[in-house]
Amino acid sequence: MKTPLTAHDLPDDIEALKALVVQSQSDILHQASQLAQKDQHIDTLAKEVSRLSELVMFFKVRQFYKSSEKHPDQAELFNEPEVEDNSSLRASSSDESSSASPKAKSNAGRKPLPKNLPRQRVEHCLPAGEKCDCGSEFKEIGEEVSEQLEIIPAKIIVRQLVRKKYACPCCEGSLKLASMPKQPIPKSIAGPGLMAYIATAKYQDGVPLYRQEKAFERLEVELSRQTMANWMIKGAQLCQPLYNLLQDSLLDSGYVHMDETRVQVLNEVGKTAESHSYMWVRKTGDQKHPVVLFDYAPDRTTQTAMNLLPEFKGFLQTDDYAGYHKIGVTEQITHLGCWAHARRKFMDAKKVLPKNKTGKADMALNLIQKLYQIEQHIKDQPPNKRLEIRQTESLRVLEQLKTWLDKSLNSTVPKSKLGEALSYLAKNWEKLQIFTTNGRLNIDNNPVENAIRPFAIGRKNWLFSQSVKGAKASAMLYSLIETAKANGLEPQAYLTDLFRDLPNCDTLEQFEALLPWNHTAS
C-alpha cells in the first residue's frame, strides 16, 4: 500500500502538480475497475455456489424423499379440487359417523366382494338334537351369511386334441381324418390359454420368464424360459394383422400422444450390450376406441418418430424432447405441449428451497394448480362445453401466468432450478396454450405416460431383452394388453381369445371382429 502524500511531498511546479493529479485520477479509476471486476467475480462465484447448493438439495430430495411431484413440506397441491369439493361432505360425514354404531364403524371402507365370483356355501349347523335350557329342541328360523375370499391354486391340464378316423365301408382304402381348428403355434404343446397366461404374467404383472420357469417346476411341469420366449415371439408374429388395424385406427384418430423410454437389448447388431435402445409409445387422445401401441427402435431420432406417424394429420402431444420438434412444425400436424412437464420443473425448483420457505416457484405452481382445478371440474363435460369453459376461465389464468413469467425471467438466475423452469415455460408457451383451442384436447401428456408405467415396472424385474426379436415381441404384446385394458377388457381373457381365433382368420371382417371395441368375450 502506498504511503499517503503530505503537503511537503507535493511539487512546487504547477505542471508537475497537474501531472500528479492526473496520475492519481488514473490510479483511482484503475482501482475502481479492479474492484468492479472482483465484485463481478464474487457475484459469479456466489451464483455458482447457489446453483451447486440447489443441486445438492435436489439430489438429497430425490434420494431420501418419496418419489412424488410434491415437496415433503407441501400440502396436496394438485389435489385441491377434490379437497374443496369434499370438505363439506367430510364435515357432515364426521358428524354422522360419531353417532353411528360401533358395528357400522368396523365395516367402514370394506368393499363388497364382486358378485360375479362363484360362491361356495359352507354351512355351520348346531349339533343334531341340541336343546334349549328349557328342554325344547332348537328349530332353524333363518341364517346369517358372512363372506370370505379364498383362492384355488393354478391348475394345469393336458388337453387332448382327438381327431377321429373314418373309413368307407364300401370303398377299400378310402379313409378320412376329422379336421380341427388351426393352432397358434403348429405342432407345439402351447395352448392359447397357456400362451396368454405367460404373456400376461410377464407383460402385465412384470414376472420374468425365469421366475415363471420356477413356478411351473413347482407344478411339476418343465417349461424352459427359452421355450416360453420362443412362444412369445411366435405369438406376437401371429398378432401382426391385428396390430396393423390398431395402427390404422390410431393414425385416423387425428389426436395422438407420444413418448419414449429406454430398453436394453443384449444381442443387437452394431451395439454393445450396455447401450440403450428405445420403446416408443403412441396413444390415441380421445376415449372412444382407445389404442395404445408400443414400438421397438434402436434409436431415439427424429426420423424414427416420423416413421411412426406416416401421413398422420391432426394433433400431436409430447414432451419437449427435440426429436419431436421437426415433426411439430409440419403443416398437417399441430404440436401440443405438456403442462405436467412444465409443472414438474417448478416442483424441482420448489424442492431446493429451504424448509418452510416460499418463493417464486410457489406462484407458478398455484397458477398451474388453478388450470388443473378447471380441468378436474370439466373432465366429464362434452368437448364443446370444455372448450367454452377453457376459453373463459383457463385463458384468464394463462394471462396471469404469462404476465408473471415475463417479469420473472429477467430477475432470475438462468442456471438455477427456477431459471430452468422459467426457461422451459417460456420456450414452450405457444404449445402449452393450444389445449384451450379445442375441447377434445388434454392439458398434458399423462395418458401416454400412464400407459408406459407397466413397461417401466416390468423393466425393473426383467431388466433387458435378449434379442431384437424379443424386444419387438414385447412391444406387440404390450400393445395388445394395454389397448385391451384401455377398452375395459381383461387382458388374459382377451389374449386367450386372440391366440385361439387369429390362426383361423382369413378375411378383413374376421380380423376386425377381434378389435377390442368389437370383441365379444367367449
Side-chain angles (χ1 to χ4, degrees), residues 90-328:
R90 283 202 304 270
S92 60
S93 62
S94 63
D95 293 337
E96 293 173 2
S97 62
S98 63
S99 59
S101 65
K103 184 175 181 180
K105 285 185 180 181
S106 64
N107 291 328
R110 176 182 293 179
K111 295 182 179 179
L113 299 177
K115 293 184 178 180
N116 62 317
L117 293 179
R119 259 64 176 176
Q120 181 184 67
R121 284 179 63 92
V122 179
E123 296 185 349
H124 301 278
C125 306
L126 290 177
E130 184 167 338
K131 297 180 180 180
C132 181
D133 293 340
C134 68
S136 300
E137 187 174 332
F138 283 105
K139 292 185 178 181
E140 182 179 336
I141 60 171
E143 62 184 19
E144 181 178 310
V145 179
S146 59
E147 293 193 328
Q148 185 181 64
L149 197 61
E150 190 56 273
I151 188 169
I152 299 174
K155 181 179 181 181
I156 295 182
I157 65 169
V158 177
R159 178 177 286 116
Q160 294 182 327
L161 307 178
V162 181
R163 303 175 66 185
K164 294 288 187 177
K165 292 182 178 180
Y166 297 86
C168 177
C170 301
C171 304
E172 184 178 350
S174 179
L175 302 175
K176 193 173 182 66
L177 185 65
S179 62
M180 69 176 187
K182 296 178 182 177
Q183 298 302 304
I185 305 177
K187 300 181 180 179
S188 170
I189 65 171
L194 178 60
M195 292 176 62
Y197 175 88
I198 295 170
T200 307
K202 178 175 181 180
Y203 301 111
Q204 168 63 28
D205 301 329
V207 183
L209 295 182
Y210 77 90
R211 291 185 188 169
Q212 294 193 52
E213 180 181 5
K214 297 297 182 183
F216 282 120
E217 285 180 3
R218 294 197 299 271
L219 297 172
E220 300 182 352
V221 175
E222 185 176 335
L223 287 178
S224 70
R225 71 193 76 174
Q226 291 81 6
T227 297
M228 290 186 282
N230 190 45
W231 288 350
M232 295 299 97
I233 292 173
K234 290 184 176 180
Q237 292 169 347
L238 179 65
C239 297
Q240 186 65 52
L242 191 64
Y243 175 92
N244 294 341
L245 291 176
L246 290 172
Q247 177 166 257
D248 290 342
S249 178
L250 178 136
L251 295 175
D252 290 341
S253 71
Y255 180 21
V256 172
H257 293 275
M258 199 166 179
D259 203 357
E260 75 293 327
T261 187
R262 61 177 178 79
V263 63
Q264 187 176 356
V265 180
L266 294 187
N267 300 319
E268 190 168 8
V269 177
K271 299 181 73 173
T272 64
E274 296 79 18
S275 61
H276 286 155
S277 298
Y278 290 89
M279 194 68 78
W280 293 73
V281 188
R282 296 168 290 166
K283 186 182 187 302
T284 50
D286 296 316
Q287 291 303 310
K288 185 179 181 181
H289 302 339
V291 176
V292 183
L293 297 182
F294 286 70
D295 291 272
Y296 161 80
D299 55 44
R300 197 186 179 207
T301 63
T302 297
Q303 188 58 50
T304 297
M306 295 178 69
N307 292 341
L308 292 172
L309 296 170
E311 300 180 3
F312 173 71
K313 297 180 180 179
F315 296 98
L316 174 65
Q317 193 158 24
T318 72
D319 57 23
D320 192 42
Y321 170 54
Y324 300 115
H325 291 175
K326 188 174 180 180
I327 303 175

Side-chain angles (χ1 to χ4, degrees), residues 346 360 401-416 418-427 429:
F346 286 103
K360 289 184 178 180
L401 187 54
K402 184 63 166 64
T403 301
W404 172 85
L405 171 64
D406 292 339
K407 290 180 180 178
S408 301
L409 276 171
N410 296 326
S411 59
T412 305
V413 179
K415 291 186 178 181
S416 65
L418 179 60
E420 292 175 1
L422 292 169
S423 176
Y424 183 95
L425 188 59
K427 183 175 66 171
W429 185 256

Side-chain angles (χ1 to χ4, degrees), residues 429-448:
W429 185 256
E430 294 300 323
K431 289 186 289 186
L432 289 168
Q433 288 191 98
I434 294 175
F435 84 97
T436 64
T437 65
N438 192 313
R440 71 184 291 212
L441 304 178
N442 294 308
I443 190 173
D444 55 34
N445 207 34
N446 279 352
V448 74

